[in-house]
Every structure is written in C-alpha cells, then in structure tokens.
Amino acid sequence: MILRHHRCRQLCSNQYTSPGYQRNSCGYCKSDNGSASYYASSVSVRPVHYEELVNRGWRRSGSVYYKQNLQRSCCPHYTMRLEALAYKPRKDQRKALNRWNNFILGPEYIRRAAYLCPKTREAKKHRKCNFDVVDLVHEVEYSNVKKPIDPKTTRPLEPAHRFEINIEGDTVSQAKFELFRKYQTKVHKEDLSKWQTKDFKRFLCSGLKRSEPNAQKGERRLGSWHQCYRLDGKLIAVAVLDLMPSGVSSVYIFYDPDYEQWELGKLSAMREIALAVEEGYKYYYMGYYIHSCTKMRYKGSFRPQYILDPESHTYDPLEGELTEKLNKRPYVSLSRDRKLAESSSGTDASTEAKEAEEESADAEMNDEEVSLFALNMPGVLTIEEIERLDLGNWALLVHGTFVHMADLVSWESMPIDEPQSLKGIVAELAATLGPEVVKDSAVVLFD
C-alpha cells in the first residue's frame, strides 16, 4: 500500500502504522475513487482493543486496519452484529444444515442407526419442533457420531464420511495455502500468480494476539484463529475468526469449490454462531454489510441483525425503519435523522435545507487534501474532543525510548488541523481510534 504521509506512525502495545485517509476504487460497484477510508496497520493489536475499534466501525484485512467514511463512499460499509442467543434460523438455513448432515451420515447409516438406536417418541417430537443449532452442527462430527455394533457385520456402524473440525492458530500450512489458491482462482477468478505464500500469510495469518483460555478462571479463547473443516482427512474449508472478549468476528472463509453445492458459507456462519453460544461470546459479527450489494444481502437473513450507527456508535435493528431508509439512500444514520426531526419539529424546512447545503459543500471538497476534521467524517472525534484527550501526554517511542508528544520540538505551536503537520497526523489518528484505544497505546514515528 502506498502511504499517504512521508512520515508514518505506529502504535505499540497496539502497534499501528498508518498511511492515513485515502480514496480507492470500489470493489463492489467498480467506480474509480468511489470508496474513502482511513487506514492504519499493525503488527500487534490486543483483542480487547480490536473489539473497541470494531464497535467504532473499523475492520481489518491482515495487519491493515481501516475505517470507511460512509458518508463519502459510493457503497457504504456498515458494521453488523447478531446476538448469538437470539439467533432465529430461517427455513433455508435449517435446510442447508440438514442437507449437509444427511450427506455426512449417508442414507445407509441413517437407516441402520434408526433401527439400532431408535429415538423415543418424545425425542422425535422435540427434534421436529426445535432447531438447536449447537447440537446440530456438532452431531455429525466424527467424534460425536454414534457407532453401535452392527449385528450384520459385527463391526461398529460407520457414517458415509468422516467429518472433523478443529480450531488452530492462524498459521500457514501448505494444505491451507493450496486450498486458498484453488478457492481464489475458481470462485473469484483471480490469477494464480497473484497469491504467493507471503501474500496468504499477510492476508489471513497476521491477526490479533492469541491467548488460550484458562478454564478454571472462566476465560474465553481470544485472538485470531483458523477453524478447519476436514472431510475424510482432506482439508475442505477454513474459517478465519477473530475472537474478542464479547464476540466472534468472521474475517474470511475459503473452501474447496468442489463442495460449493453444500452452501459452506451458510454452514460456517451457523457453526460460528454455535461457537459464540457454547463458549460464552455474546455477539457474532459477520463483517461489513453493504445494502446496495446484492451478494451481501444474505448476511441480513441471519436474524436478528443490528447495524452500527456510524455517528452515535449505537446499534439499531436492520429490519424495519433502517432497511426502509437504506432502500432510498446509501448513507443512513438514524441518530442524525432523529436529531434533525427534533430540531425541525414545529419549524419550517430551513434546518434540513441547511444540512443539504452543508452536505453539498462537503461533496465538492477534495477530501485527500484537507484535514480529516474538515470532512466531518462520521464517527470521528472533533478537534474539541481531541483537545480534551491531551495528546501532549500520548506516549511516543523513539529509538526504543518512550517520551511524550509534548517533548517534541515545537509541539505546542504545531497546527492540529493541518494534515501535513506532525500534530495534525497524530490528531487524525487519535480521532479515528477513539479515546479508549488512545489511552492504552503508544506511537512510533519513523521516516
């Protein structure tokens, strides 16, 4: 990635290096320079801090972190999350899981198992009336499949396929890399030469710091992990997950295109919801939701989904008012709409007209040449809020030694709203990260 600033910065403990705000072509509608985001990169981010960033509209791709300016992008990316315990599977999702389970077990096993291990009437009724996603995703894993002795063969009854799941660190292996390249070339039609091992590692094996849980202390697994799917000993899918204190975040899934008919995307989402439920994570994050992208609409079918308001950082139900407004315009902030409704109540339309004029003026700005503060980017701290953070006390690492920003020559006289000044660069970074991450981080500057 080309850095916007000649001088880069990096946060350690949470270590970020940032090229700052820039425009790029949109990968969805393909418009040139249609997408605008603030970028940072990091080699080490703690899960607790990443969760804070996610709930401020950030996502990551490998070690690159980005927060989109939804108001100035052609296809706004909205953060979405689902409360795992509230998940209500649709008919097509239930059908996909049942089809997969029947495929794994096979008709012969199902028939013989029903004879050798018959279910009670109550169990059959409960199964018909209740869709337990946790039980269903696990029941066909080889270690959980019942294997009664078949009197015809005097051997344990075996399913048609041996299906196994394990969670391991986000590390590189030849099997993962080969599966990834097969997926990218056949599903996304990419050139094989585009992906080398180092690219795969940078994209999907450069995640959050991992920690194993201490069961005695009631801890949960944290960091970046690979959930690996194996069928008859062969790796057929890998789900890349970020496990945060309160949520399971889906980063990416790649799978063998030979199994595309089994809707592995749906299956992995249900398995990740089940993981959240059984291991005590409250939320399941499916990544960004782009309402204008037809291929993204499937995410909204995992209900009930909530969308992060880009300005208030609160969550609103996707269904209902928000969907109705997204059908009419690309950028929606319900908190802004409510404020406008309150301010214009009992008056003429002057407030709304003024808002429209301001948005029109903003649209004419060259947003790569002005301060981030002049753009009024949703979800970014204002200059007044930044000044209350006391950036002068933000730690700075110089040649292995920690100092403070205020120790820099001419720090106090530097303009905070000048994007090319050191103070302006640091202020923009702080404004996008938010106060909680800033107070637990330090900055590294290098040329």
Side-chain angles (χ1 to χ4, degrees), residues 267-425:
L267 297 180
S268 65
M270 285 185 278
R271 182 168 287 278
E272 288 153 22
I273 292 170
L275 173 67
V277 170
E278 62 190 328
E279 296 198 8
Y281 302 95
K282 186 174 182 180
Y283 301 110
Y284 174 53
Y285 295 82
M286 293 188 75
Y288 281 139
Y289 174 72
I290 302 172
H291 191 72
S292 59
C293 179
T294 304
K295 291 182 179 180
M296 283 279 188
R297 294 290 180 92
Y298 81 93
K299 293 185 178 183
S301 69
F302 287 83
R303 299 171 180 168
Q305 285 285 3
Y306 289 79
I307 297 295
L308 180 72
D309 186 298
E311 300 190 21
S312 66
H313 297 143
T314 56
Y315 282 87
D316 299 299
L318 175 59
E319 290 188 273
E321 179 186 8
L322 183 55
T323 293
E324 291 173 6
K325 291 189 174 184
L326 286 171
N327 287 336
K328 298 175 182 177
R329 64 182 196 266
Y331 177 74
V332 176
S333 165
L334 291 185
S335 65
R336 171 188 281 202
D337 290 353
R338 289 165 189 150
K339 288 178 182 177
L340 283 173
E342 290 174 4
S343 64
S344 62
S345 177
T347 65
D348 57 23
S350 60
T351 303
E352 292 185 16
K354 182 178 179 181
E355 183 78 15
E357 289 176 7
E358 290 175 352
E359 289 185 6
S360 177
D362 283 347
E364 294 177 1
M365 285 185 185
N366 184 335
D367 49 6
E368 289 187 303
E369 295 183 357
V370 301
S371 168
L372 198 63
F373 301 110
L375 292 177
N376 297 313
M377 179 173 166
V380 170
L381 301 180
T382 64
I383 287 180
E384 292 73 25
E385 289 170 322
I386 283 295
E387 288 173 339
R388 288 199 291 271
L389 288 183
D390 188 13
L391 289 186
N393 281 320
W394 201 2
L396 174 66
L397 183 61
V398 181
H399 302 304
T401 302
F402 283 102
V403 296
H404 290 106
M405 295 293 175
D407 296 327
L408 296 173
V409 176
S410 304
W411 170 261
E412 292 300 329
S413 62
M414 292 180 189
I416 198 171
D417 58 352
E418 171 50 58
Q420 299 302 325
S421 78
L422 182 56
K423 192 172 187 178
I425 290 171

Side-chain angles (χ1 to χ4, degrees), residues 139-388:
E139 73 173 7
V140 296
E141 293 171 10
Y142 189 74
S143 60
N144 296 329
V145 175
K146 294 179 180 179
K147 305 177 188 69
I149 299 298
D150 190 335
K152 285 186 176 182
T153 63
T154 68
R155 294 195 300 268
L157 186 64
E158 292 285 340
H161 299 281
R162 185 182 183 115
F163 179 55
E164 296 167 300
I165 293 282
N166 76 293
I167 295 181
E168 59 188 58
D170 59 341
T171 55
V172 181
S173 75
Q174 191 62 29
K176 290 178 188 176
F177 178 57
E178 290 175 358
L179 176 64
F180 174 76
R181 293 221 294 180
K182 183 177 182 180
Y183 174 78
Q184 294 297 121
T185 54
K186 292 195 174 183
V187 175
H188 293 295
K189 313 301 180 186
E190 292 183 343
D191 192 309
L192 194 64
S193 64
K194 178 179 178 180
W195 294 101
Q196 303 301 320
T197 305
K198 60 181 176 60
D199 305 307
F200 171 73
K201 183 177 181 180
R202 183 177 63 246
F203 180 36
L204 296 176
C205 307
S206 303
L208 312 178
K209 297 182 71 173
R210 290 189 303 276
S211 63
E212 288 284 359
N214 185 326
Q216 295 180 340
K217 296 182 179 180
E219 295 176 347
R220 288 185 285 276
R221 188 168 14 211
L222 297 175
S224 296
W225 303 82
H226 287 171
Q227 189 170 56
C228 300
Y229 297 57
R230 289 182 172 84
L231 187 65
D232 300 325
K234 177 186 176 184
L235 185 68
I236 64 164
V238 177
V240 183
L241 305 175
D242 286 338
L243 303 183
M244 307 177 295
S246 299
V248 173
S249 176
S250 175
V251 179
Y252 200 70
I253 181 170
F254 55 97
Y255 54 82
D256 190 328
D258 294 343
Y259 296 90
E260 193 165 15
Q261 62 174 313
W262 300 107
E263 302 180 282
L264 291 175
K266 285 182 182 178
L267 297 180
S268 65
M270 285 185 278
R271 182 168 287 278
E272 288 153 22
I273 292 170
L275 173 67
V277 170
E278 62 190 328
E279 296 198 8
Y281 302 95
K282 186 174 182 180
Y283 301 110
Y284 174 53
Y285 295 82
M286 293 188 75
Y288 281 139
Y289 174 72
I290 302 172
H291 191 72
S292 59
C293 179
T294 304
K295 291 182 179 180
M296 283 279 188
R297 294 290 180 92
Y298 81 93
K299 293 185 178 183
S301 69
F302 287 83
R303 299 171 180 168
Q305 285 285 3
Y306 289 79
I307 297 295
L308 180 72
D309 186 298
E311 300 190 21
S312 66
H313 297 143
T314 56
Y315 282 87
D316 299 299
L318 175 59
E319 290 188 273
E321 179 186 8
L322 183 55
T323 293
E324 291 173 6
K325 291 189 174 184
L326 286 171
N327 287 336
K328 298 175 182 177
R329 64 182 196 266
Y331 177 74
V332 176
S333 165
L334 291 185
S335 65
R336 171 188 281 202
D337 290 353
R338 289 165 189 150
K339 288 178 182 177
L340 283 173
E342 290 174 4
S343 64
S344 62
S345 177
T347 65
D348 57 23
S350 60
T351 303
E352 292 185 16
K354 182 178 179 181
E355 183 78 15
E357 289 176 7
E358 290 175 352
E359 289 185 6
S360 177
D362 283 347
E364 294 177 1
M365 285 185 185
N366 184 335
D367 49 6
E368 289 187 303
E369 295 183 357
V370 301
S371 168
L372 198 63
F373 301 110
L375 292 177
N376 297 313
M377 179 173 166
V380 170
L381 301 180
T382 64
I383 287 180
E384 292 73 25
E385 289 170 322
I386 283 295
E387 288 173 339
R388 288 199 291 271

